[in-house]
Amino acid sequence: MTSPEISLHQSLDLGLDGGTLTARLVDFPSVSGSEGPLADAVEAALRAYPHLTVDRYGNNVVARTNLGRSERVLLAGHLDTVPIADNVPSHVEGDLLYGCGTSDMKSGVAVQLRLAATLPDPNRDLTFVFYDCEEIEASRNGLGHLVARHPDWLAADFAVLMEPSGAMVEGGCQGTLRVDVKLTGTRAHSARSWLGDNAIHKAGEVLRRLEAYQPRRVEIDGLEYREGLNANLISGGVAANVIPDECVVHVNFRYAPDRTEAEAVEHVREVLAGFEVVVTDSAPGALPGLDQPAARAFLAAVGGEARAKFGWTDVARFSALGVPAVNYGPGDPNLAHKRDEHCSLAAIAEVEARLRAWLTAN
Amino acid sequence: MTSPEISLHQSLDLGLDGGTLTARLVDFPSVSGSEGPLADAVEAALRAYPHLTVDRYGNNVVARTNLGRSERVLLAGHLDTVPIADNVPSHVEGDLLYGCGTSDMKSGVAVQLRLAATLPDPNRDLTFVFYDCEEIEASRNGLGHLVARHPDWLAADFAVLMEPSGAMVEGGCQGTLRVDVKLTGTRAHSARSWLGDNAIHKAGEVLRRLEAYQPRRVEIDGLEYREGLNANLISGGVAANVIPDECVVHVNFRYAPDRTEAEAVEHVREVLAGFEVVVTDSAPGALPGLDQPAARAFLAAVGGEARAKFGWTDVARFSALGVPAVNYGPGDPNLAHKRDEHCSLAAIAEVEARLRAWLTAN
């Protein structure tokens, strides 16, 4: 439920501390597809700062410094949330701010806005990207629309996607490939099963191979990626008294970013050799790019140990543009999309402080 | 479509030849649940014969001779059909009578009616049973209701169920057992599959055992029964990006009638040892009873070679009453329930003639 005193046309005060600004953003509902008012407020707030050039495409807002620095860093975050589940407006309990989007990822957006407003003279040129529709089907993803229509706005040497990462650097992301394995046979009445050819039984060998499969662990730029090859869905059969003539096993391969999409397909076809494998979905991984100068400086500045990102995220879109990218945000990835979603106020302050230190160091 | 000139209240002339009577019955629609008018006509027609005692329960009609013979033979058939599929009224093409129920089993019912009307002095006492709702859920089966409410009406030394058997004697029937094999695991995000435990993968071993299973062939009373153990349905999984925590394999065991229901369950539990097996449905088989004097005489009279019945039929209900039973009818079992269902007129005449010979021989 949205509290009635919340105005959808309120302005955003970027002088607030990160935690308070996060609360304001959470109390400004922006479920996927209805980000317009929040994008308006973000655009208006940023246009107040003369050191920023602000562009807008749809409900995507891009603010940039143009100081002629030798490196450019991009910080990106999505404005939308999953549907509200009785968890708006926000509330604070001790160090924790509760509410829809606290973790995923209005805390990250608050840090972006704070840095945009308060870094008129950073050591690297900065690009801040706020986009819509990340939580829904890929075809509506605002960052994807910017890649297609305004790739020049996204030019950078390094990108930080401020998705929840527990205030740790998560490098790159794994690729994901979905295939259907189709088994076919011949129908017959169950009472005369020898006249048929059971398609479900044939799935036994597919599942046996998947069960026996030893997923690879591989180190890239010092990060360990763990792959996985799994049957996630299976269905087969016609009726309880019919020998089935079809069974489909839906298999998902999550692979380290040193494989290309084509190599991932080839690998799955090898594992399931002899079976009909149909690719239904494919998204490439993203290399962590931690060997880049900007990334090395970033890692040194934010400290802590980097780890591999396993889920697929929009860093892959930057990777496809040739921009190394990492995930780094104050939210807790395990709380995303949950009713009791919350974020540590200390983590918001810490992430902002570390990024500020990195972007102002001499 | 029912032709408009067909009266639902027409009387049945049991003096017609078997083929013509079958056509009349086919043109008298009696889809499961609406057998009332046909049961009325059958009852009225039989009551015209003083050598028969006629009883009725619901839409089930039982006609009996009471001649004090040392043996009693029961001939049974169901009055209902599957839904009409543009195949009523009937029509003749050469030797073939086309229409809904020609094979399953109004041709058998016509033979029953002909014998009931024309055998006032048979060599064995006769019981003719006409029942409803055979083609739908077992709980509505009219023969089942008679077994429960009027078992005395069904007393006999031997029973012939006139289901389509291609004018061959099909002995007994196999039992059928359904079990669900449930595999469980632990959900996890597909990108971190090592945190989960894949329930679908575990089904691989179940399916492998079923694929490797060597079904038994066994001879009983000279008939060969072939068993079968099959996964007929499988389903598992939560979503395309979740390691599944549940998978269910629906298994059907069709077994020879020398096993009891309990032995069948025990056997399946042995084959699938180590897995959770839940019985969901069980119906016992029926022994062919071809070692009985009445059956031996029947076989000798109708000639040809007997074969095992693989599908489950109502003969099992007689078997449960201690009455050996066989399937013997003019219809073709492979045409039952099909739009182009038809029956050979010669087969109708042949089955009637052979039964008549058996029931009148000295």
Side-chain angles (χ1 to χ4, degrees):
Chain A
M1 290 291 291
T2 304
S3 168
E5 66 266 28
I6 293 171
S7 162
L8 289 178
H9 302 287
Q10 70 190 49
S11 61
L12 292 172
D13 177 358
L14 306 191
L16 297 170
D17 70 90
T20 307
L21 182 55
T22 300
R24 290 287 164 84
L25 292 170
V26 170
D27 296 344
F28 202 135
S30 57
V31 175
S32 306
S34 61
E35 301 91 336
L38 180 55
D40 293 346
V42 165
E43 180 187 357
L46 293 171
R47 284 198 189 280
Y49 296 90
H51 67 276
L52 296 172
T53 301
V54 179
D55 290 296
R56 177 159 173 168
Y57 174 69
N59 287 325
N60 306 292
V61 178
V62 178
R64 285 175 286 180
T65 63
N66 292 288
L67 303 165
R69 304 290 193 246
S70 60
E71 278 187 344
R72 175 175 289 278
V73 162
L74 185 152
L75 295 103
H78 61 82
L79 295 174
D80 61 320
T81 68
V82 294
I84 291 167
D86 249 348
N87 51 1
V88 165
S90 60
H91 70 278
V92 174
E93 293 182 22
D95 173 53
L96 302 179
L97 176 68
Y98 282 80
C100 179
T102 45
S103 238
D104 187 13
M105 56 169 285
K106 288 182 169 176
S107 50
V109 170
V111 171
Q112 285 181 274
L113 289 169
R114 289 278 302 149
L115 295 174
T118 60
L119 289 177
D121 188 33
N123 56 10
R124 296 169 178 86
D125 266 312
L126 300 178
T127 300
F128 299 93
V129 177
F130 305 88
Y131 61 101
D132 68 348
C133 293
E134 193 271 346
E135 298 289 5
I136 52 176
E137 61 268 32
S139 63
R140 295 180 64 186
N141 183 295
L143 186 60
H145 295 172
L146 289 176
V147 168
R149 303 297 288 271
H150 296 286
D152 51 310
W153 296 358
L154 304 178
D157 298 292
F158 183 63
V160 178
L161 185 62
M162 302 200 62
E163 286 276 6
S165 71
M168 284 184 68
V169 177
E170 294 189 327
C173 79
Q174 307 222 101
T176 177
L177 169 69
R178 298 188 203 286
V179 303
D180 281 347
V181 186
K182 297 194 180 184
L183 297 315
T184 57
T186 307
R187 287 192 199 188
H189 193 287
S190 193
R192 297 172 176 272
S193 52
W194 56 93
L195 300 179
D197 177 25
N198 193 314
I200 292 177
H201 291 186
K202 295 177 186 176
E205 171 64 9
V206 173
L207 300 180
R208 198 200 58 74
R209 288 196 204 167
L210 293 175
E211 192 173 36
Y213 182 79
Q214 294 293 330
R216 194 173 61 122
R217 293 181 179 205
V218 58
E219 197 174 298
I220 304 170
D221 291 356
L223 307 187
E224 187 190 50
Y225 288 85
R226 293 182 70 164
E227 300 187 327
L229 180 62
N230 278 273
N232 290 4
L233 297 168
I234 188 169
S235 64
V238 179
N241 63 349
V242 177
I243 301 302
D245 61 349
E246 189 170 296
C247 182
V248 178
V249 186
H250 179 105
V251 175
N252 187 200
F253 183 36
R254 300 286 182 143
Y255 57 94
D258 61 339
R259 294 192 204 259
T260 64
E261 287 179 272
E263 287 165 353
V265 171
E266 188 187 347
H267 179 67
V268 171
R269 287 196 192 282
E270 273 173 22
V271 172
L272 299 176
F275 293 100
E276 184 187 350
V277 170
V278 178
V279 173
T280 58
D281 189 44
S282 174
L287 289 164
L290 297 183
D291 55 342
Q292 305 289 314
R296 279 207 303 272
F298 170 73
L299 263 184
V302 303
E305 206 166 340
R307 61 186 178 194
K309 182 72 174 180
F310 294 113
W312 194 90
T313 77
D314 276 329
V315 296
R317 298 186 196 274
F318 292 110
S319 191
L321 287 174
V323 181
V326 298
N327 301 274
Y328 179 64
D332 181 336
N334 298 321
L335 295 172
H337 306 187
K338 293 196 171 169
R339 189 180 291 266
D340 68 340
E341 181 177 351
H342 55 265
C343 184
S344 156
L345 295 168
I348 298 171
E350 177 194 329
V351 166
E352 180 183 336
R354 290 182 185 271
L355 289 172
R356 185 181 302 281
W358 170 50
L359 296 171
T360 54
N362 290 320
Chain B
M1 290 288 292
T2 305
S3 167
E5 66 266 27
I6 294 169
S7 162
L8 290 178
H9 303 287
Q10 71 190 47
S11 61
L12 292 172
D13 177 358
L14 305 190
L16 296 171
D17 70 89
T20 306
L21 183 55
T22 301
R24 290 287 164 84
L25 292 170
V26 171
D27 297 344
F28 203 135
S30 57
V31 175
S32 307
S34 61
E35 300 92 335
L38 181 56
D40 291 346
V42 165
E43 180 186 358
L46 293 170
R47 285 200 188 280
Y49 296 90
H51 66 274
L52 296 172
T53 301
V54 179
D55 290 297
R56 178 160 174 168
Y57 176 68
N59 287 325
N60 306 291
V61 179
V62 178
R64 286 175 286 181
T65 65
N66 294 287
L67 303 165
R69 304 289 193 248
S70 60
E71 277 187 341
R72 176 175 289 277
V73 162
L74 184 152
L75 295 103
H78 61 83
L79 295 173
D80 61 322
T81 68
V82 294
I84 291 167
D86 248 349
N87 52 0
V88 166
S90 61
H91 71 278
V92 174
E93 292 182 23
D95 174 54
L96 302 180
L97 175 68
Y98 283 81
C100 180
T102 44
S103 238
D104 186 13
M105 59 169 282
K106 288 183 169 175
S107 50
V109 170
V111 171
Q112 285 180 274
L113 289 169
R114 288 279 301 149
L115 295 174
T118 60
L119 289 177
D121 188 32
N123 56 12
R124 297 169 176 85
D125 266 312
L126 300 179
T127 300
F128 299 92
V129 177
F130 305 88
Y131 61 101
D132 68 349
C133 294
E134 191 273 345
E135 298 289 5
I136 51 176
E137 62 268 31
S139 63
R140 296 180 62 185
N141 184 296
L143 187 60
H145 295 172
L146 289 176
V147 168
R149 304 297 290 271
H150 296 285
D152 51 309
W153 295 358
L154 304 178
D157 299 290
F158 182 64
V160 178
L161 185 63
M162 302 201 61
E163 286 276 7
S165 71
M168 284 185 69
V169 177
E170 294 189 326
C173 79
Q174 307 221 102
T176 177
L177 169 68
R178 299 187 203 286
V179 302
D180 281 346
V181 186
K182 297 194 181 185
L183 298 314
T184 57
T186 308
R187 287 193 198 187
H189 193 288
S190 193
R192 297 172 176 271
S193 53
W194 56 92
L195 299 179
D197 178 25
N198 194 313
I200 292 177
H201 290 185
K202 295 177 187 177
E205 171 65 9
V206 173
L207 300 180
R208 198 199 60 74
R209 287 194 205 169
L210 294 175
E211 192 173 35
Y213 182 79
Q214 293 294 329
R216 193 174 62 123
R217 294 183 179 203
V218 58
E219 196 174 302
I220 304 170
D221 291 357
L223 307 187
E224 186 190 51
Y225 288 85
R226 295 182 68 166
E227 299 187 329
L229 180 63
N230 278 273
N232 290 3
L233 297 168
I234 188 170
S235 63
V238 178
N241 63 347
V242 177
I243 301 302
D245 60 349
E246 188 170 298
C247 181
V248 178
V249 186
H250 178 106
V251 175
N252 187 203
F253 183 37
R254 299 287 182 143
Y255 56 93
D258 62 338
R259 296 193 201 256
T260 65
E261 288 179 273
E263 287 165 352
V265 171
E266 188 186 350
H267 179 67
V268 171
R269 287 196 192 282
E270 273 173 21
V271 172
L272 299 177
F275 294 99
E276 184 187 350
V277 170
V278 178
V279 174
T280 59
D281 189 45
S282 173
L287 288 164
L290 296 183
D291 55 342
Q292 305 289 316
R296 277 206 304 273
F298 169 72
L299 263 184
V302 303
E305 204 166 341
R307 62 186 176 193
K309 183 72 172 179
F310 295 112
W312 193 89
T313 78
D314 275 328
V315 297
R317 297 185 195 275
F318 292 110
S319 191
L321 287 174
V323 181
V326 297
N327 302 275
Y328 179 64
D332 181 336
N334 298 320
L335 295 173
H337 306 187
K338 294 195 171 169
R339 188 180 291 266
D340 69 339
E341 181 177 353
H342 55 264
C343 184
S344 156
L345 294 169
I348 297 171
E350 179 194 326
V351 166
E352 180 183 335
R354 289 182 186 271
L355 289 172
R356 186 181 301 281
W358 170 50
L359 297 170
T360 55
N362 289 321

